[in-house]
Amino acid sequence: MKKTFHKIMTGNVAWDDLIYDVVCNVALFLFVIVCFYPMYFILIASFTAPKYVNSGEFLLYPKEWNFMGYTQVLKDNDVWTGYGNTLIYVTGGTLLGVTVTMLAGYALSRKDMWGRGFLMKIFVFTMYFGGGLIPTYLVISKLQLTNTRILMILLGSVSVYNTIVVRSFMISNVPDELYEAAILDGCGHPTFFAKVVMPLSKAIISVIALWLAVGYWNSYFSAMIYLSDPKKYPLQLYLRQILMMASSVAGSASDPEKEQIIDPEYLALMQQLAAVLKYALIVVSTGPVLCIYPFVQKYFVKGVMIGSVKG
């Protein structure tokens, strides 16, 4: 856009180029607003009084600041327990997933690995065909891993798609000549992987780590199926229970039989709180991820572009 403006000032500009630039910039600006405003709306709604959230009387800024949603969420000790469990699952699962994925991607990228093509066919087969939930649950039960934290770390730590992306990255950025030079210096595969491959793979490591961390952070279905001890629940499962509880209490305001049992004023308060609570839960659950993402964005973009062509 700056180049176009300079051409306009110097009188050396084609009108079709000017129209194209203006249309593209306006379209991109509108696209940014469409993507950004829902997140901004959730944030301001979490700080707005419940009566205005239910009526939708605010648009660009909070109306009558209110912290009721955050108070109700953060005063619950189970939420902090869920935070601790989630940090354990995210940290352990991400470290395990990155380690295994990098090792597998490196091994599958080596042309001198025996049976590489056969292994890749088996890996790809698992992307399209699986046993399903019930057989998986039976296997996990036989291994006596149900209701354990180690299971929450193992589940989802390794992905065939991630392995293929890392393999493509290795093929594109770790040439055979580099390995041959390392061999002449006395390096074996372990030393070459640790001292040469890993330092060259910071971009793809950041991408895989971000994908795994976000996946673990947002996961609740596996915990809902395999965990029975509330002390081991992740954050997302606690937040889901809180939201369902608030919604069920608020919904009982329309039930004439329950109105006689529960105080109508309390029901009205919970009905207003349910909407604010929903937005506060979203902010609490997504805030840490949004804070971390800017620090890995440059590696994320670079790593995705380099490893995007799967061979």
Side-chain angles (χ1 to χ4, degrees):
M1 193 66 180
K2 291 182 178 179
K3 293 182 179 179
T4 304
F5 180 76
H6 177 71
K7 291 180 179 179
I8 293 174
M9 297 300 295
T10 57
N12 185 21
V13 62
W15 285 107
D16 53 349
D17 291 340
L18 176 61
I19 295 174
Y20 175 81
D21 287 344
V22 171
V23 171
C24 286
N25 282 277
V26 171
L28 289 174
F29 179 74
L30 294 176
F31 180 75
V32 169
I33 292 178
V34 170
C35 294
F36 174 77
Y37 182 74
M39 295 186 291
Y40 176 72
F41 178 84
I42 291 171
L43 180 63
I44 62 175
S46 66
F47 291 104
T48 302
K51 60 181 179 180
Y52 296 112
V53 174
N54 292 331
S55 62
E57 296 181 15
F58 66 98
L59 184 64
L60 297 177
Y61 54 89
K63 196 170 184 178
E64 192 175 324
W65 286 74
N66 188 285
F67 299 91
M68 184 184 298
Y70 292 100
T71 302
Q72 294 296 324
V73 172
L74 298 180
K75 76 177 183 181
D76 192 342
N77 292 329
D78 290 340
V79 172
W80 298 108
T81 302
Y83 256 114
N85 291 331
T86 298
L87 290 175
I88 293 174
Y89 302 150
V90 170
T91 304
T94 301
L95 291 175
L96 176 63
V98 169
T99 302
V100 174
T101 302
M102 293 299 296
L103 289 171
Y106 171 74
L108 293 172
S109 69
R110 301 304 308 167
K111 296 179 181 179
D112 55 348
M113 177 184 175
W114 184 85
R116 182 181 70 156
F118 177 72
L119 288 175
M120 279 303 305
K121 289 182 175 62
I122 294 178
F123 281 13
V124 173
F125 180 84
T126 62
M127 295 178 67
Y128 299 99
F129 301 96
L133 179 60
I134 294 177
T136 302
Y137 185 86
L138 293 176
V139 171
I140 292 174
S141 297
K142 289 293 183 180
L143 295 174
Q144 298 182 354
L145 290 175
T146 54
N147 198 32
T148 60
R149 287 190 172 93
I150 189 65
L151 176 64
M152 295 295 99
I153 294 176
L154 292 175
L155 288 177
S157 60
V158 180
S159 168
V160 176
Y161 177 81
N162 292 346
T163 304
I164 293 175
V165 172
V166 172
R167 172 180 174 269
S168 301
F169 179 90
M170 297 289 185
I171 293 174
S172 302
N173 295 271
V174 185
D176 294 335
E177 293 78 9
L178 193 60
Y179 175 69
E180 293 172 359
I183 289 295
L184 294 176
D185 292 334
C187 284
H189 282 291
T191 306
F192 178 70
F193 177 79
K195 294 187 176 182
V196 179
V197 174
M198 292 298 286
L200 293 175
S201 305
K202 292 180 180 179
I204 198 66
I205 291 174
S206 299
V207 172
I208 301 301
L210 180 63
W211 285 348
L212 289 172
V214 172
Y216 275 101
W217 187 271
N218 293 328
S219 176
Y220 74 91
F221 183 76
S222 296
M224 187 172 58
I225 297 297
Y226 299 111
L227 294 182
S228 58
D229 185 0
K231 294 182 179 180
K232 300 176 182 177
Y233 284 173
L235 174 65
Q236 300 296 338
L237 194 54
Y238 276 123
L239 299 184
R240 177 179 179 272
Q241 290 181 340
I242 294 174
L243 183 59
M244 291 181 63
M245 185 182 303
S247 299
S248 63
V249 174
S252 62
S254 58
D255 191 337
E257 296 181 358
K258 293 183 178 180
E259 285 181 353
Q260 300 176 1
I261 301 174
I262 305 176
D263 186 5
E265 294 183 359
Y266 176 74
L267 287 175
L269 176 63
M270 290 304 298
Q271 193 172 19
Q272 293 181 353
L273 178 61
V276 178
L277 188 62
K278 175 176 62 177
Y279 296 116
L281 289 172
I282 295 174
V283 175
V284 169
S285 60
T286 60
V289 177
L290 293 177
C291 292
I292 294 173
Y293 179 77
F295 297 99
V296 297
Q297 181 183 10
K298 60 179 181 179
Y299 299 108
F300 178 77
V301 175
K302 181 181 178 182
V304 169
M305 294 303 295
I306 292 176
S308 60
V309 180
K310 299 184 286 295

